[in-house]
Amino acid sequence: MKRAFHLRTAALAAALLSAAACTSTTAASTASSSAADAAPVTLTMWGTYGNGGNTAQTQALAKLITKFQSANPNITVNYVDMPYDQLKQKLTTSAAGGGLPDVLRSDIGWVAQFGKLGAFAPLDTEMPGFGDVAKSTYPGTLAANKYNGHYYGMPLDTNTRVLVTSPDVLAKAGMTAPPATFDDFKAMAAKLPAGTQLFADSGLQGWNVLPWIWSGGGDITDADVTKATGYLNSDKSVAAVQMLVDLYKAKQIPNLITGNQGGTSTSDGLPGGKYATILDGPWMVDIWGQQYPSFKPVFSQVPAGPGGSVSVVGGESMVMSETSTHKDAALKFIQFTLSDDFQLGMADAGQMPVVATAGTKAATAHPYYSVFATQLQTAKARLPIPDAGQVDTILNTELTKAFNGSESVKDALTAAASQIDPLLKA
Amino acid sequence: MYVCFIGLPMIRAAQISLFHWNVMLPQRSVFVGLGNYSKAFADPIFWQALSNSGLYMLLTVPPQIVIGLGVAMLLKRRSPAQPVYRFLFYLPVVTSWVVVSLLFKYLFADQGVINWLLTLGRADAVPISWLSGRFTAMVAICALGIWKGVGWSMMIFLAALQGVPVVLEEAAEMDGANRWQKFLVVTLPAIWPAMAFVLIMLVIGGFNVFISVLLMTGGGPAQQTEVLLTYMYNVAFGNLDFGYGSAIAMLLTVLVFILAVIQMKAFRTEQGAQ
């Protein structure tokens, strides 16, 4: 009986298939376009919410996606989580092979590069009422999405790095508050217990060193981003980096900063009491909450130097791929990500809102956000150029030479500036 | 099959290497002739990567041959335990590069097992930061390469050793040859073709080292352990400069091809001489 049913179904399917094959292409396309509004749509979204084992974020996202789907029953969002360090490569191969997802949570640093490539769609021309929606976000993060007169991304979340201090080490050093200035910071080194180093970071890219350079009163380029020489190797930039190099030579900064892949990571070293301070973002609250539940980090402003306390703006944007076949649904989802529901829902899992009104509400619910919100008032963005990745490689390579002592800080920064100059003009 | 999966991609790579390639809109690519090749020759990181690939090849090929052959000689005789040993020595060959690369990264970490062993019983000993310097990191990467490759050369040599005529070995013994003499005069010439095969394949494999470097150091610190393939990968997929990446790939192909031809010629002349 069952077998007969299967046979009948198979015969019916075959008949339908052959009928479909005989239908003219025109007839088929007319039918599909008239049914487009009601037809169920599956959007594919890529992101890195689960990076570093962050299940708090993926769970928060899953709840929000369910909420969106119940409000839009014909749209299903299929979220695919990827490791942060592989997403860019995956994006590149998919852009070349035509396999991009409909929407993507992209690092703000990649938007210009992929916008230039033609992989991301210009949202200001694709999204009706883009101007009004975009106006609700912080201007600094919005600006990072602009390339060549178009916006290729919609700000999704923002963040910055602040000083994070281990409370145990602070107590052992006999201090009541984390170091607030460059001088306090250097002086803290002498008070530390044995086996604890003053500061750790995992690289020498813009994200790592710019807070020190800016706080030291230096800069990476002029305000119009046309020249690095004269800015990156200015006396103030040199002095800020020199401070770190001196601490490195005094063994107060581990060689994790010069790329030792075998060193203890900052996220383990700080709770473990190996490092006294690090610079990090708001997502660490949830990561430590899961991995070191008893660790209560102390957040404070980046130590102020001659230039004040200036950190670096990070964050992510929602982008839509140029090749998406469900652009209407994709735009609808992107708009949803700016709603209070989404912004506050993700704020509970460590993602700072980009919508100003949501930001105020989030700071009330999560007091530690206020440190980040204050830091964001002076924080600056990295270079908004397509070759931003190469700038990071240059900084990392040249500064490693200064840290290892094979070159002076001045020479290393001069060499870096001369390599960055041509990328600014490109 | 060959044309489709090997020939065409190679021709395409050669074509891309002559352009400032736009990966999304290839028709907008700008022809630069040999520009990408001259860029490589003037690029210090390219030379650094080439020398690291060469260093890896030099440090991993001889141990793989010597140890592989040594183990094969030991496992040549039939014994009940022999299949077990063959299996154990061959096991690293079939394990995933990704898994063992991460494993070796942890072994050579500052707080890893290697440092624990080296500082055993010495409380004041400072652990070595293996992955923080060019040469120490290359040692760790090469150690993985040798550990993972010995089983493969052992297998080839084992097969070759089965073909060594027993009559000749017995004749040598009767002539009063000791084990070393017997090895030099009878065994080695008999397995010479296998030796040529192993050497050529290992040299090609040495220049193609990629996954272990990418996962253990990522080419760092400061691009000091970059090998040709990781550099090509970073240039193409990090900077989206596919033209330059393809040029590096073509240069590697030419280099490996020339080395293979030289080795084959050398082995042929030597065989002819014998």
Side-chain angles (χ1 to χ4, degrees):
Chain A
M1 182 66 195
K2 209 170 181 189
R3 190 179 156 78
F5 174 74
H6 279 310
L7 281 175
R8 248 180 291 146
T9 325
L12 183 67
L16 280 173
L17 276 176
S18 52
C22 296
T23 319
S24 76
T25 335
T26 350
S29 62
T30 322
S32 71
S33 67
S34 66
D37 291 339
V41 165
T42 301
L43 287 180
T44 306
M45 173 188 176
W46 288 357
T48 55
Y49 279 115
N51 202 47
N54 199 331
T55 50
Q57 291 192 166
T58 45
Q59 283 163 4
L61 179 72
K63 274 188 212 155
L64 291 165
I65 287 178
T66 313
K67 202 162 198 174
F68 174 77
Q69 289 174 163
S70 44
N72 301 275
N74 63 330
I75 307 175
T76 308
V77 181
N78 179 20
Y79 173 71
V80 184
D81 201 75
M82 304 211 175
Y84 177 83
D85 51 357
Q86 281 161 34
L87 180 61
K88 197 176 172 195
Q89 280 73 21
K90 176 89 179 147
L91 256 180
T92 314
T93 43
S94 305
L100 282 173
D102 299 291
V103 286
L104 172 97
R105 177 177 179 253
S106 162
D107 191 293
I108 48 170
W110 304 342
V111 175
Q113 191 178 27
F114 284 94
K116 182 188 177 191
L117 202 62
F120 295 169
L123 292 181
D124 52 340
T125 55
E126 298 269 359
M127 184 186 269
F130 173 86
D132 293 335
V133 184
K135 225 189 283 171
S136 67
T137 63
Y138 292 125
T141 26
L142 179 66
N145 291 285
K146 196 172 179 182
Y147 169 71
N148 214 6
H150 287 287
Y151 289 92
Y152 290 90
M154 179 69 88
L156 175 67
D157 49 63
T158 186
N159 56 57
T160 185
R161 307 180 91 200
V162 298
L163 190 75
V164 197
T165 310
S166 150
D168 288 350
V169 173
L170 203 60
K172 281 182 192 156
M175 293 166 70
T176 49
T181 63
F182 277 14
D183 289 338
D184 293 350
F185 183 65
K186 284 183 278 184
M188 188 180 183
K191 303 173 190 165
L192 295 175
T196 301
Q197 289 172 298
L198 177 64
F199 173 74
D201 207 344
S202 52
L204 289 166
Q205 303 192 343
W207 178 247
N208 312 100
V209 291
L210 285 173
W212 299 105
I213 291 179
W214 284 327
S215 298
D219 213 331
I220 180 166
T221 63
D222 58 334
D224 296 330
V225 196
T226 57
K227 205 149 184 59
T229 300
Y231 297 87
L232 184 59
N233 57 346
S234 69
D235 289 347
K236 285 181 174 170
S237 301
V238 171
V241 174
Q242 188 67 52
M243 178 181 77
L244 295 179
V245 170
D246 291 345
L247 288 168
Y248 180 79
K249 286 186 180 148
K251 304 239 179 275
Q252 288 296 338
I253 299 178
N255 59 9
L256 188 70
I257 203 167
T258 50
N260 175 20
Q261 295 273 333
T264 306
S265 70
T266 52
S267 60
D268 290 325
L270 188 77
K274 211 168 152 42
Y275 310 140
T277 64
I278 64 169
L279 290 184
D280 223 321
W283 52 84
M284 290 311 294
V285 173
D286 284 295
I287 293 180
W288 283 322
Q290 289 161 11
Q291 293 169 2
Y292 296 92
S294 61
F295 178 63
K296 300 284 172 249
V298 182
F299 294 99
S300 63
Q301 305 298 300
V302 169
S309 166
V310 186
S311 192
V312 57
V313 174
E316 277 84 17
S317 292
M318 282 298 278
V319 301
M320 178 172 74
S321 70
E322 188 61 280
T323 50
S324 169
T325 48
H326 310 297
K327 285 191 172 161
D328 290 343
L331 292 171
K332 210 173 221 179
F333 184 71
I334 292 177
Q335 286 196 328
F336 169 70
T337 61
L338 289 181
S339 67
D340 261 14
D341 270 349
F342 192 95
Q343 291 281 311
L344 294 175
M346 288 314 295
D348 290 341
Q351 289 296 327
M352 290 189 72
V354 279
V355 178
T357 49
T360 320
K361 289 178 198 166
T364 323
H366 308 283
Y368 71 85
Y369 273 149
S370 64
V371 178
F372 289 92
T374 312
Q375 190 77 69
L376 270 172
Q377 286 170 4
T378 54
K380 292 187 192 177
R382 285 160 286 173
L383 300 180
I385 56 166
D387 287 326
Q390 264 172 281
V391 171
D392 276 334
T393 309
I394 293 166
L395 281 175
N396 197 49
T397 304
E398 293 302 328
L399 283 174
T400 300
K401 294 176 191 166
F403 275 71
N404 287 340
S406 61
E407 258 180 35
S408 72
V409 173
K410 177 82 181 175
D411 287 350
L413 287 175
T414 304
S418 68
Q419 292 170 60
I420 292 171
D421 279 338
L423 301 177
L424 304 175
K425 287 164 198 146
Chain B
M1 274 282 274
Y2 178 84
V3 170
C4 204
F5 292 108
I6 299 171
L8 281 180
M10 270 182 71
I11 294 169
R12 184 77 168 152
Q15 183 202 355
I16 292 175
S17 73
L18 302 176
F19 286 85
H20 189 67
W21 194 256
N22 184 321
V23 69
M24 283 287 288
L25 304 160
Q27 64 275 18
R28 279 205 216 151
S29 303
V30 184
F31 182 76
V32 291
L34 295 174
N36 284 321
Y37 291 90
S38 50
K39 186 177 170 183
F41 291 127
D43 180 356
I45 306 292
F46 170 78
W47 291 109
Q48 170 102 340
L50 179 65
S51 73
N52 281 338
S53 292
L55 182 71
Y56 178 85
M57 191 270 289
L58 285 176
L59 289 179
T60 56
V61 173
Q64 284 182 83
I65 292 179
V66 174
I67 302 173
L69 183 56
V71 173
M73 295 290 285
L74 289 175
L75 295 181
K76 193 177 63 167
R77 284 208 195 89
R78 298 210 174 277
S79 82
Q82 187 232 36
V84 179
Y85 282 111
R86 277 190 196 183
F87 169 75
L88 288 177
F89 276 105
Y90 199 70
L91 197 58
V93 181
V94 290
T95 50
S96 145
W97 267 107
V98 175
V99 172
V100 294
S101 298
L102 291 175
L103 202 71
F104 267 65
K105 184 177 168 179
Y106 296 129
L107 286 178
F108 281 94
D110 289 9
Q111 315 271 331
V113 175
I114 303 288
N115 273 338
W116 178 76
L117 284 172
L118 289 176
T119 56
L120 210 59
R122 291 184 297 142
D124 57 335
V126 182
I128 301 170
S129 279
W130 289 95
L131 304 178
S132 76
R134 182 183 175 192
F135 292 105
T136 46
M138 287 308 289
V139 166
I141 293 165
C142 291
L144 167 59
I146 296 167
W147 173 80
K148 200 168 181 329
V150 159
W152 180 80
S153 48
M154 173 207 74
M155 220 46 166
I156 307 286
F157 285 132
L158 259 179
L161 287 171
Q162 312 297 327
V164 180
V166 187
V167 198
L168 284 182
E169 286 187 335
E170 283 170 357
E173 270 171 44
M174 283 175 71
D175 289 343
N178 62 25
R179 283 172 87 173
W180 177 241
Q181 285 167 329
K182 203 173 75 182
F183 172 76
L184 277 186
V185 181
V186 179
T187 315
L188 210 50
I191 61 162
W192 205 240
M195 182 68 87
F197 174 73
V198 168
L199 182 68
I200 292 171
M201 294 311 281
L202 287 182
V203 167
I204 294 175
F207 273 101
N208 282 321
V209 59
F210 174 61
I211 300 173
S212 53
V213 180
L214 187 76
L215 290 175
M216 286 174 74
T217 65
Q223 298 185 290
Q224 288 177 53
T225 58
E226 204 91 72
V227 288
L228 279 176
L229 284 187
T230 55
Y231 189 48
M232 178 198 82
Y233 178 75
N234 288 337
V235 162
F237 293 96
N239 303 343
L240 306 189
D241 193 347
F242 283 84
Y244 188 31
S246 299
I248 296 173
M250 291 313 293
L251 287 171
L252 175 63
T253 311
V254 171
L255 176 74
V256 168
F257 181 75
I258 293 173
L259 280 176
V261 169
I262 293 175
Q263 289 174 86
M264 277 197 271
K265 280 237 163 96
F267 271 98
R268 225 169 271 158
T269 348
E270 211 154 313
Q271 238 179 347
Q274 278 173 9

